[in-house]
Amino acid sequence: MFLSRLLLLPFLVALAVPVAAHEFWIEPDQYQVPIGGTLQADFKNGQNFRGTTLAFFDRRSETYALITNGNRSELMPRAGDRPALSVPAPDRDALAVVIHETAPSTLTYKEWAKFLKFAAHKDFQTAASDHAAAGWPMEGFKERYTRHAKSLMAVGSGAGADASTGMQTEFVALSNPYAADFDGQMRVRVLYQGAVRPDAQVEVFDRARAGDVTVTLHRTDAQGEVAIPVVSGHSYIFDAVVLRPAADMADPGKDPVWETLWAALTFAVP
């Protein structure tokens, strides 16, 4: 009996991961690297800035690239590589922007209460009423989700600027946290399909040097922008989620009825 429970545990944990609405992010080994050094980072999945390290697999990736000084290089690690990023840093000062979009995955909500908890957490105020109005099942329904992660790393002085990369949803950093004149206000714009997202919830995970994590909620303005105070020596995940009906749903009893698109931005403040 004990052995059976041990064998069952990984399966139960795997089921719990998507239902618990875990974040996905790119976590550099070092956010600041010297010119000619190595850019290294892991894919992470978890909660409150603590999570499991994931290997790179091509079948799970739609977009994976490094952008420095306006130059974009597609990244092609070997299957199973961990860390998922390990490439030479540029030979000059740069803000290195790593982006990764995952292939779609699907989860099943076995309990209506879990969907309600997720919708409340991510501030989808009409999700429950929209779901009921559509006549979709309240148990055993599916959601498809994708991840759209970005990380900012400094090479040398970290000089440079972020820009829209064309991901389905993303944060665009309007501030460079590595710049000498950075004022402690991290300004970002949230995009969805290239358009700004006004009044969108931004969840911020703030990790101090000692490892303590503080979580706060913020909202974008009419231009899809928000300025968030950040602290020297801390690292951050910014998270924003889009929830939309699945456009290709034909049978609500079998097909995903919802889609979520998760945008994440990681960086550190020197």
PDB file of all heavy atoms in Angstrom, residues 139-170:
ATOM      1  N   GLU A 139     -18.527  21.159 -14.530  1.00  0.00           N
ATOM      2  CA  GLU A 139     -17.558  20.163 -14.067  1.00  0.00           C
ATOM      3  C   GLU A 139     -16.997  19.444 -15.284  1.00  0.00           C
ATOM      4  O   GLU A 139     -17.709  19.207 -16.252  1.00  0.00           O
ATOM      5  CB  GLU A 139     -18.208  19.146 -13.123  1.00  0.00           C
ATOM      6  CG  GLU A 139     -18.653  19.722 -11.797  1.00  0.00           C
ATOM      7  CD  GLU A 139     -19.268  18.667 -10.896  1.00  0.00           C
ATOM      8  OE1 GLU A 139     -19.495  17.537 -11.379  1.00  0.00           O
ATOM      9  OE2 GLU A 139     -19.530  18.976  -9.718  1.00  0.00           O
ATOM     10  N   GLY A 140     -15.717  19.132 -15.233  1.00  0.00           N
ATOM     11  CA  GLY A 140     -15.105  18.378 -16.315  1.00  0.00           C
ATOM     12  C   GLY A 140     -14.862  19.170 -17.580  1.00  0.00           C
ATOM     13  O   GLY A 140     -14.652  18.579 -18.645  1.00  0.00           O
ATOM     14  N   PHE A 141     -14.855  20.500 -17.488  1.00  0.00           N
ATOM     15  CA  PHE A 141     -14.599  21.297 -18.688  1.00  0.00           C
ATOM     16  C   PHE A 141     -13.112  21.626 -18.796  1.00  0.00           C
ATOM     17  O   PHE A 141     -12.372  21.595 -17.806  1.00  0.00           O
ATOM     18  CB  PHE A 141     -15.450  22.579 -18.692  1.00  0.00           C
ATOM     19  CG  PHE A 141     -15.185  23.517 -17.548  1.00  0.00           C
ATOM     20  CD1 PHE A 141     -14.258  24.546 -17.658  1.00  0.00           C
ATOM     21  CD2 PHE A 141     -15.885  23.384 -16.356  1.00  0.00           C
ATOM     22  CE1 PHE A 141     -14.024  25.417 -16.608  1.00  0.00           C
ATOM     23  CE2 PHE A 141     -15.663  24.255 -15.297  1.00  0.00           C
ATOM     24  CZ  PHE A 141     -14.726  25.272 -15.423  1.00  0.00           C
ATOM     25  N   LYS A 142     -12.704  21.977 -20.007  1.00  0.00           N
ATOM     26  CA  LYS A 142     -11.271  22.133 -20.286  1.00  0.00           C
ATOM     27  C   LYS A 142     -10.887  23.575 -20.559  1.00  0.00           C
ATOM     28  O   LYS A 142     -11.696  24.389 -21.022  1.00  0.00           O
ATOM     29  CB  LYS A 142     -10.877  21.269 -21.487  1.00  0.00           C
ATOM     30  CG  LYS A 142     -11.022  19.777 -21.237  1.00  0.00           C
ATOM     31  CD  LYS A 142     -10.624  18.963 -22.460  1.00  0.00           C
ATOM     32  CE  LYS A 142     -10.779  17.468 -22.194  1.00  0.00           C
ATOM     33  NZ  LYS A 142     -10.397  16.669 -23.397  1.00  0.00           N
ATOM     34  N   GLU A 143      -9.629  23.849 -20.265  1.00  0.00           N
ATOM     35  CA  GLU A 143      -9.005  25.146 -20.565  1.00  0.00           C
ATOM     36  C   GLU A 143      -7.685  24.880 -21.276  1.00  0.00           C
ATOM     37  O   GLU A 143      -6.945  23.957 -20.908  1.00  0.00           O
ATOM     38  CB  GLU A 143      -8.749  25.928 -19.277  1.00  0.00           C
ATOM     39  CG  GLU A 143      -7.916  27.188 -19.452  1.00  0.00           C
ATOM     40  CD  GLU A 143      -7.313  27.657 -18.148  1.00  0.00           C
ATOM     41  OE1 GLU A 143      -8.030  27.688 -17.125  1.00  0.00           O
ATOM     42  OE2 GLU A 143      -6.115  27.991 -18.132  1.00  0.00           O
ATOM     43  N   ARG A 144      -7.401  25.665 -22.309  1.00  0.00           N
ATOM     44  CA  ARG A 144      -6.110  25.618 -22.990  1.00  0.00           C
ATOM     45  C   ARG A 144      -5.297  26.822 -22.549  1.00  0.00           C
ATOM     46  O   ARG A 144      -5.820  27.928 -22.438  1.00  0.00           O
ATOM     47  CB  ARG A 144      -6.325  25.629 -24.504  1.00  0.00           C
ATOM     48  CG  ARG A 144      -5.029  25.533 -25.308  1.00  0.00           C
ATOM     49  CD  ARG A 144      -5.318  25.217 -26.766  1.00  0.00           C
ATOM     50  NE  ARG A 144      -6.249  26.161 -27.360  1.00  0.00           N
ATOM     51  CZ  ARG A 144      -7.341  25.802 -28.040  1.00  0.00           C
ATOM     52  NH1 ARG A 144      -7.651  24.533 -28.205  1.00  0.00           N
ATOM     53  NH2 ARG A 144      -8.135  26.716 -28.562  1.00  0.00           N
ATOM     54  N   TYR A 145      -4.002  26.612 -22.292  1.00  0.00           N
ATOM     55  CA  TYR A 145      -3.188  27.730 -21.815  1.00  0.00           C
ATOM     56  C   TYR A 145      -1.831  27.764 -22.510  1.00  0.00           C
ATOM     57  O   TYR A 145      -1.295  26.731 -22.926  1.00  0.00           O
ATOM     58  CB  TYR A 145      -3.017  27.683 -20.293  1.00  0.00           C
ATOM     59  CG  TYR A 145      -2.289  26.460 -19.764  1.00  0.00           C
ATOM     60  CD1 TYR A 145      -0.912  26.469 -19.548  1.00  0.00           C
ATOM     61  CD2 TYR A 145      -2.985  25.287 -19.467  1.00  0.00           C
ATOM     62  CE1 TYR A 145      -0.250  25.356 -19.049  1.00  0.00           C
ATOM     63  CE2 TYR A 145      -2.334  24.165 -18.981  1.00  0.00           C
ATOM     64  CZ  TYR A 145      -0.961  24.213 -18.767  1.00  0.00           C
ATOM     65  OH  TYR A 145      -0.311  23.102 -18.287  1.00  0.00           O
ATOM     66  N   THR A 146      -1.317  28.975 -22.649  1.00  0.00           N
ATOM     67  CA  THR A 146       0.013  29.197 -23.213  1.00  0.00           C
ATOM     68  C   THR A 146       0.760  30.186 -22.335  1.00  0.00           C
ATOM     69  O   THR A 146       0.165  31.028 -21.648  1.00  0.00           O
ATOM     70  CB  THR A 146      -0.051  29.746 -24.650  1.00  0.00           C
ATOM     71  OG1 THR A 146      -0.919  30.893 -24.683  1.00  0.00           O
ATOM     72  CG2 THR A 146      -0.562  28.699 -25.620  1.00  0.00           C
ATOM     73  N   ARG A 147       2.085  30.117 -22.382  1.00  0.00           N
ATOM     74  CA  ARG A 147       2.946  30.994 -21.578  1.00  0.00           C
ATOM     75  C   ARG A 147       3.735  31.909 -22.520  1.00  0.00           C
ATOM     76  O   ARG A 147       4.216  31.468 -23.572  1.00  0.00           O
ATOM     77  CB  ARG A 147       3.920  30.175 -20.745  1.00  0.00           C
ATOM     78  CG  ARG A 147       3.271  29.035 -19.968  1.00  0.00           C
ATOM     79  CD  ARG A 147       2.299  29.500 -18.925  1.00  0.00           C
ATOM     80  NE  ARG A 147       1.966  28.423 -17.993  1.00  0.00           N
ATOM     81  CZ  ARG A 147       1.579  28.603 -16.746  1.00  0.00           C
ATOM     82  NH1 ARG A 147       1.448  29.829 -16.263  1.00  0.00           N
ATOM     83  NH2 ARG A 147       1.269  27.570 -15.978  1.00  0.00           N
ATOM     84  N   HIS A 148       3.913  33.149 -22.102  1.00  0.00           N
ATOM     85  CA  HIS A 148       4.569  34.165 -22.921  1.00  0.00           C
ATOM     86  C   HIS A 148       5.526  34.938 -22.003  1.00  0.00           C
ATOM     87  O   HIS A 148       5.155  35.947 -21.400  1.00  0.00           O
ATOM     88  CB  HIS A 148       3.523  35.075 -23.558  1.00  0.00           C
ATOM     89  CG  HIS A 148       2.426  34.300 -24.236  1.00  0.00           C
ATOM     90  ND1 HIS A 148       2.444  34.010 -25.586  1.00  0.00           N
ATOM     91  CD2 HIS A 148       1.309  33.717 -23.741  1.00  0.00           C
ATOM     92  CE1 HIS A 148       1.370  33.288 -25.885  1.00  0.00           C
ATOM     93  NE2 HIS A 148       0.666  33.100 -24.782  1.00  0.00           N
ATOM     94  N   ALA A 149       6.739  34.410 -21.883  1.00  0.00           N
ATOM     95  CA  ALA A 149       7.674  34.884 -20.863  1.00  0.00           C
ATOM     96  C   ALA A 149       8.786  35.716 -21.473  1.00  0.00           C
ATOM     97  O   ALA A 149       9.242  35.462 -22.595  1.00  0.00           O
ATOM     98  CB  ALA A 149       8.270  33.695 -20.109  1.00  0.00           C
ATOM     99  N   LYS A 150       9.212  36.697 -20.690  1.00  0.00           N
ATOM    100  CA  LYS A 150      10.316  37.576 -21.095  1.00  0.00           C
ATOM    101  C   LYS A 150      11.211  37.805 -19.882  1.00  0.00           C
ATOM    102  O   LYS A 150      10.731  37.881 -18.749  1.00  0.00           O
ATOM    103  CB  LYS A 150       9.762  38.913 -21.604  1.00  0.00           C
ATOM    104  CG  LYS A 150      10.819  39.956 -21.964  1.00  0.00           C
ATOM    105  CD  LYS A 150      10.191  41.294 -22.360  1.00  0.00           C
ATOM    106  CE  LYS A 150       9.570  41.248 -23.736  1.00  0.00           C
ATOM    107  NZ  LYS A 150       9.128  42.603 -24.197  1.00  0.00           N
ATOM    108  N   SER A 151      12.509  37.915 -20.123  1.00  0.00           N
ATOM    109  CA  SER A 151      13.447  38.224 -19.045  1.00  0.00           C
ATOM    110  C   SER A 151      14.448  39.262 -19.523  1.00  0.00           C
ATOM    111  O   SER A 151      14.896  39.223 -20.683  1.00  0.00           O
ATOM    112  CB  SER A 151      14.199  36.961 -18.597  1.00  0.00           C
ATOM    113  OG  SER A 151      14.975  37.228 -17.438  1.00  0.00           O
ATOM    114  N   LEU A 152      14.780  40.192 -18.636  1.00  0.00           N
ATOM    115  CA  LEU A 152      15.743  41.252 -18.932  1.00  0.00           C
ATOM    116  C   LEU A 152      17.035  40.971 -18.176  1.00  0.00           C
ATOM    117  O   LEU A 152      17.033  40.835 -16.958  1.00  0.00           O
ATOM    118  CB  LEU A 152      15.206  42.617 -18.505  1.00  0.00           C
ATOM    119  CG  LEU A 152      13.820  43.020 -19.022  1.00  0.00           C
ATOM    120  CD1 LEU A 152      13.444  44.396 -18.477  1.00  0.00           C
ATOM    121  CD2 LEU A 152      13.779  43.006 -20.544  1.00  0.00           C
ATOM    122  N   MET A 153      18.143  40.889 -18.922  1.00  0.00           N
ATOM    123  CA  MET A 153      19.457  40.647 -18.337  1.00  0.00           C
ATOM    124  C   MET A 153      20.411  41.732 -18.822  1.00  0.00           C
ATOM    125  O   MET A 153      20.312  42.184 -19.975  1.00  0.00           O
ATOM    126  CB  MET A 153      19.972  39.261 -18.731  1.00  0.00           C
ATOM    127  CG  MET A 153      19.012  38.128 -18.378  1.00  0.00           C
ATOM    128  SD  MET A 153      19.442  36.536 -19.164  1.00  0.00           S
ATOM    129  CE  MET A 153      20.952  36.139 -18.297  1.00  0.00           C
ATOM    130  N   ALA A 154      21.326  42.124 -17.957  1.00  0.00           N
ATOM    131  CA  ALA A 154      22.300  43.163 -18.308  1.00  0.00           C
ATOM    132  C   ALA A 154      23.623  42.536 -18.707  1.00  0.00           C
ATOM    133  O   ALA A 154      24.159  41.691 -17.986  1.00  0.00           O
ATOM    134  CB  ALA A 154      22.503  44.111 -17.139  1.00  0.00           C
ATOM    135  N   VAL A 155      24.138  42.936 -19.852  1.00  0.00           N
ATOM    136  CA  VAL A 155      25.485  42.567 -20.274  1.00  0.00           C
ATOM    137  C   VAL A 155      26.334  43.821 -20.116  1.00  0.00           C
ATOM    138  O   VAL A 155      26.026  44.861 -20.718  1.00  0.00           O
ATOM    139  CB  VAL A 155      25.518  42.068 -21.724  1.00  0.00           C
ATOM    140  CG1 VAL A 155      26.949  41.754 -22.147  1.00  0.00           C
ATOM    141  CG2 VAL A 155      24.619  40.840 -21.885  1.00  0.00           C
ATOM    142  N   GLY A 156      27.386  43.736 -19.304  1.00  0.00           N
ATOM    143  CA  GLY A 156      28.153  44.942 -19.001  1.00  0.00           C
ATOM    144  C   GLY A 156      27.286  45.947 -18.273  1.00  0.00           C
ATOM    145  O   GLY A 156      26.675  45.644 -17.248  1.00  0.00           O
ATOM    146  N   SER A 157      27.163  47.137 -18.822  1.00  0.00           N
ATOM    147  CA  SER A 157      26.350  48.187 -18.206  1.00  0.00           C
ATOM    148  C   SER A 157      24.855  47.960 -18.401  1.00  0.00           C
ATOM    149  O   SER A 157      24.029  48.615 -17.755  1.00  0.00           O
ATOM    150  CB  SER A 157      26.723  49.549 -18.795  1.00  0.00           C
ATOM    151  OG  SER A 157      26.299  49.642 -20.154  1.00  0.00           O
ATOM    152  N   GLY A 158      24.493  47.047 -19.319  1.00  0.00           N
ATOM    153  CA  GLY A 158      23.075  46.786 -19.577  1.00  0.00           C
ATOM    154  C   GLY A 158      22.411  47.845 -20.428  1.00  0.00           C
ATOM    155  O   GLY A 158      21.176  47.923 -20.470  1.00  0.00           O
ATOM    156  N   ALA A 159      23.189  48.647 -21.124  1.00  0.00           N
ATOM    157  CA  ALA A 159      22.616  49.731 -21.920  1.00  0.00           C
ATOM    158  C   ALA A 159      21.701  49.190 -23.007  1.00  0.00           C
ATOM    159  O   ALA A 159      22.037  48.224 -23.691  1.00  0.00           O
ATOM    160  CB  ALA A 159      23.733  50.554 -22.549  1.00  0.00           C
ATOM    161  N   GLY A 160      20.551  49.823 -23.154  1.00  0.00           N
ATOM    162  CA  GLY A 160      19.617  49.407 -24.190  1.00  0.00           C
ATOM    163  C   GLY A 160      18.189  49.573 -23.723  1.00  0.00           C
ATOM    164  O   GLY A 160      17.924  50.052 -22.620  1.00  0.00           O
ATOM    165  N   ALA A 161      17.246  49.176 -24.556  1.00  0.00           N
ATOM    166  CA  ALA A 161      15.837  49.336 -24.249  1.00  0.00           C
ATOM    167  C   ALA A 161      15.052  48.128 -24.740  1.00  0.00           C
ATOM    168  O   ALA A 161      15.421  47.498 -25.731  1.00  0.00           O
ATOM    169  CB  ALA A 161      15.293  50.617 -24.888  1.00  0.00           C
ATOM    170  N   ASP A 162      13.982  47.821 -24.041  1.00  0.00           N
ATOM    171  CA  ASP A 162      13.068  46.767 -24.455  1.00  0.00           C
ATOM    172  C   ASP A 162      12.107  47.319 -25.504  1.00  0.00           C
ATOM    173  O   ASP A 162      11.960  48.535 -25.666  1.00  0.00           O
ATOM    174  CB  ASP A 162      12.293  46.260 -23.226  1.00  0.00           C
ATOM    175  CG  ASP A 162      11.441  45.033 -23.531  1.00  0.00           C
ATOM    176  OD1 ASP A 162      11.763  44.311 -24.492  1.00  0.00           O
ATOM    177  OD2 ASP A 162      10.467  44.812 -22.786  1.00  0.00           O
ATOM    178  N   ALA A 163      11.442  46.421 -26.210  1.00  0.00           N
ATOM    179  CA  ALA A 163      10.443  46.805 -27.210  1.00  0.00           C
ATOM    180  C   ALA A 163       9.493  45.639 -27.389  1.00  0.00           C
ATOM    181  O   ALA A 163       9.756  44.522 -26.924  1.00  0.00           O
ATOM    182  CB  ALA A 163      11.106  47.150 -28.540  1.00  0.00           C
ATOM    183  N   SER A 164       8.391  45.875 -28.066  1.00  0.00           N
ATOM    184  CA  SER A 164       7.458  44.801 -28.369  1.00  0.00           C
ATOM    185  C   SER A 164       8.150  43.759 -29.245  1.00  0.00           C
ATOM    186  O   SER A 164       8.874  44.092 -30.185  1.00  0.00           O
ATOM    187  CB  SER A 164       6.231  45.356 -29.096  1.00  0.00           C
ATOM    188  OG  SER A 164       5.397  44.307 -29.534  1.00  0.00           O
ATOM    189  N   THR A 165       7.921  42.489 -28.924  1.00  0.00           N
ATOM    190  CA  THR A 165       8.577  41.402 -29.654  1.00  0.00           C
ATOM    191  C   THR A 165       7.613  40.631 -30.544  1.00  0.00           C
ATOM    192  O   THR A 165       8.018  39.691 -31.222  1.00  0.00           O
ATOM    193  CB  THR A 165       9.229  40.421 -28.667  1.00  0.00           C
ATOM    194  OG1 THR A 165       8.197  39.777 -27.902  1.00  0.00           O
ATOM    195  CG2 THR A 165      10.192  41.139 -27.728  1.00  0.00           C
ATOM    196  N   GLY A 166       6.335  40.985 -30.504  1.00  0.00           N
ATOM    197  CA  GLY A 166       5.357  40.295 -31.320  1.00  0.00           C
ATOM    198  C   GLY A 166       4.734  39.084 -30.671  1.00  0.00           C
ATOM    199  O   GLY A 166       3.959  38.363 -31.323  1.00  0.00           O
ATOM    200  N   MET A 167       5.021  38.837 -29.379  1.00  0.00           N
ATOM    201  CA  MET A 167       4.353  37.732 -28.706  1.00  0.00           C
ATOM    202  C   MET A 167       2.864  38.037 -28.572  1.00  0.00           C
ATOM    203  O   MET A 167       2.444  39.191 -28.590  1.00  0.00           O
ATOM    204  CB  MET A 167       4.978  37.488 -27.330  1.00  0.00           C
ATOM    205  CG  MET A 167       6.369  36.903 -27.378  1.00  0.00           C
ATOM    206  SD  MET A 167       6.934  36.223 -25.787  1.00  0.00           S
ATOM    207  CE  MET A 167       7.192  37.726 -24.834  1.00  0.00           C
ATOM    208  N   GLN A 168       2.054  37.004 -28.418  1.00  0.00           N
ATOM    209  CA  GLN A 168       0.602  37.165 -28.323  1.00  0.00           C
ATOM    210  C   GLN A 168       0.211  38.097 -27.177  1.00  0.00           C
ATOM    211  O   GLN A 168      -0.723  38.881 -27.287  1.00  0.00           O
ATOM    212  CB  GLN A 168      -0.069  35.815 -28.127  1.00  0.00           C
ATOM    213  CG  GLN A 168      -0.316  35.064 -29.410  1.00  0.00           C
ATOM    214  CD  GLN A 168      -1.464  35.670 -30.207  1.00  0.00           C
ATOM    215  OE1 GLN A 168      -2.588  35.738 -29.748  1.00  0.00           O
ATOM    216  NE2 GLN A 168      -1.168  36.122 -31.412  1.00  0.00           N
ATOM    217  N   THR A 169       0.905  37.991 -26.070  1.00  0.00           N
ATOM    218  CA  THR A 169       0.742  38.924 -24.962  1.00  0.00           C
ATOM    219  C   THR A 169       2.101  39.075 -24.310  1.00  0.00           C
ATOM    220  O   THR A 169       2.892  38.132 -24.283  1.00  0.00           O
ATOM    221  CB  THR A 169      -0.322  38.450 -23.957  1.00  0.00           C
ATOM    222  OG1 THR A 169      -0.492  39.462 -22.936  1.00  0.00           O
ATOM    223  CG2 THR A 169       0.045  37.143 -23.308  1.00  0.00           C
ATOM    224  N   GLU A 170       2.394  40.265 -23.804  1.00  0.00           N
ATOM    225  CA  GLU A 170       3.710  40.493 -23.217  1.00  0.00           C
ATOM    226  C   GLU A 170       3.759  41.787 -22.428  1.00  0.00           C
ATOM    227  O   GLU A 170       2.922  42.679 -22.588  1.00  0.00           O
ATOM    228  CB  GLU A 170       4.798  40.530 -24.299  1.00  0.00           C
ATOM    229  CG  GLU A 170       4.704  41.701 -25.257  1.00  0.00           C
ATOM    230  CD  GLU A 170       5.831  41.701 -26.298  1.00  0.00           C
ATOM    231  OE1 GLU A 170       7.006  41.597 -25.903  1.00  0.00           O
ATOM    232  OE2 GLU A 170       5.518  41.812 -27.504  1.00  0.00           O
TER     233      GLU A 170
END
